[in-house]
Amino acid sequence: MTQIIDGKAISAAIKDELKAEVESLKGEGTQICLAVIQVGNDPASAVYVGNKKKACAYIGIDSLAYELPEETTQEELLKLIAELNDKGEVNGILVQLPLPDHIDEDEVIRAIDPKKDVDGFHPQSVGALCIGQPGFVSCTPAGIIQLLKRSGIEIAGKECVVIGRSNIVGKPMALLLLRENGTVTVAHSKTKNLQEITKRADILVVAVGRPKMITREYVKEGAVVIDVGIHRNENNKLCGDVDYDDVAPICSAITPVPGGVGPMTIAMLMHNCVEAGTRR
Ligand code: NDP
């Protein structure tokens, strides 16, 4: 029987654990606060920002919302980040991506104090992950490690294949699996014989950004399949990078879309905020 990895239930459990931790921190006089900056009015970003505010409210984290107009300049945004870096009561700073084209995303990410970089995108956070030092980890891959661990799936010694090498998913995912003692291969658009490589995987993480690309021809019987993709199909229904109906019957465990990896991202953001507060 295929195990359906329930990201909704696991993320709810993490949020409840964090809620209890925040409550006890409050008792010790520590209040955690996340500043969320959104530039422009991209509707998808507005939904993500709204969900982050809701999660903060549920857990008991204060959230400060900065909704800046589309025409905000790079200098104005950097000035706001500098102010938030200096504000003792702000523990985490999150700039919702993507930013408008006239703003240099890399420079904005670099401007965030690494101690407040709850998205884990700052080069210092990424470097720390790479050399095994403490630092914030990108939320989606960190959430996937939690999904695996809390579903009783062993990573050490397993053949792990990650499809995708983006800075926010693929690369940190590979580093985290390595940290958990997996044997890791990263595939990308220039990879030759992709099916041959993915068929070796005991744990296959798919972050390719192509709806339903991964069919059972790519998957070893009994593998664990983690689907990071989120797309809307022709009927406006959500689907992933994996052809779930085709793949689920042959694997030992799989994440559905929706309800798999998606809910974990916000849970891990909340985790990083609490960590930022306790590190202080
Ligand atoms: P990117 O588009 O940044 O990266 C896609 C990666 O897949 C690239 O490394 C690319 O290779 C590789 N790739 C593309 N086509 C192929 C192919 N035919 N064969 C092998 N590799 C290929 O995407 P992200 O990493 O940002 O996101 C991946 C997916 O995850 C998307 O569907 C996104 O919506 C979703 N997502 C979901 C999140 C969640 O919370 N659940 C959070 C973040 C993303 P190359 O580097 O060579 O171009």
Side-chain angles (χ1 to χ4, degrees):
M1 259 278 277
T2 307
Q3 177 186 2
I4 313 297
I5 299 176
D6 189 345
K8 252 182 158 168
I10 295 173
S11 73
I14 292 174
K15 283 195 227 161
D16 284 338
E17 289 162 19
L18 292 170
K19 192 178 162 118
E21 199 176 337
V22 166
E23 189 62 41
S24 99
L25 284 168
K26 271 186 195 163
E28 297 162 14
T30 302
Q31 174 60 43
I32 295 174
C33 174
L34 170 68
V36 181
I37 305 172
Q38 188 190 348
V39 185
N41 32 27
D42 173 50
S45 291
V47 172
Y48 292 137
V49 167
N51 289 341
K52 287 166 189 173
K53 282 192 223 159
K54 248 191 254 165
C56 282
Y58 178 75
I59 291 167
I61 295 175
D62 285 344
S63 62
L64 301 175
Y66 296 86
E67 282 151 24
L68 309 181
E70 180 84 21
E71 55 279 8
T72 302
T73 64
Q74 172 104 359
E75 289 66 36
E76 286 166 333
L77 180 55
L78 292 176
K79 186 165 167 273
L80 172 61
I81 292 172
E83 283 165 17
L84 295 170
N85 281 341
D86 287 341
K87 262 196 179 164
E89 67 270 29
V90 171
N91 306 104
I93 303 171
L94 183 149
V95 180
Q96 185 63 45
L97 302 180
L99 289 166
D101 289 345
H102 65 278
I103 295 181
D104 177 351
E105 246 170 48
D106 289 342
E107 195 181 345
V108 168
I109 291 169
R110 276 198 306 274
I112 298 171
D113 181 343
K115 290 197 285 300
K116 300 188 178 187
D117 173 38
V118 286
D119 252 342
F121 295 164
H122 191 286
Q124 189 171 316
S125 308
V126 179
L129 171 63
C130 195
I131 59 174
Q133 290 185 357
F136 293 111
V137 177
S138 178
C139 300
T140 302
I144 291 169
I145 296 292
Q146 285 300 312
L147 281 181
L148 292 169
K149 287 189 170 174
R150 289 174 185 244
S151 303
I153 295 162
E154 176 82 28
I155 303 169
K158 295 284 172 63
E159 283 279 350
C160 304
V161 175
V162 180
I163 317 180
R165 57 172 166 181
S166 70
N167 290 339
I168 61 166
V169 187
K171 282 182 197 146
M173 186 74 251
L175 290 168
L176 284 173
L177 290 165
L178 189 60
R179 186 164 92 180
E180 297 295 331
N181 298 314
T183 302
V184 183
T185 304
V186 183
H188 47 78
S189 69
K190 307 290 185 291
T191 297
K192 296 209 167 72
N193 306 323
L194 182 62
Q195 287 189 14
E196 240 170 64
I197 291 164
T198 57
K199 277 227 163 202
R200 291 205 307 258
D202 301 312
I203 298 174
L204 178 62
V205 180
V206 187
V208 73
R210 296 179 185 267
K212 295 191 178 185
M213 175 179 143
I214 300 304
T215 54
R216 63 171 66 193
E217 286 73 34
Y218 289 82
V219 180
K220 178 170 82 173
E221 184 115 23
V224 173
V225 177
I226 304 292
D227 187 355
V228 187
I230 310 179
H231 312 275
R232 287 213 176 263
N233 71 10
E234 56 284 357
N235 306 319
N236 207 30
K237 276 184 70 182
L238 289 175
C239 72
D241 289 344
V242 175
D243 185 342
Y244 183 90
D245 293 336
D246 189 48
V247 170
I250 67 152
C251 45
S252 60
I254 188 165
T255 55
V257 177
V261 173
M264 296 302 291
T265 302
I266 288 192
M268 297 317 289
L269 172 68
M270 297 297 109
H271 165 88
N272 283 353
C273 291
V274 174
E275 201 176 300
T278 49
R279 271 195 207 159
R280 180 179 65 173

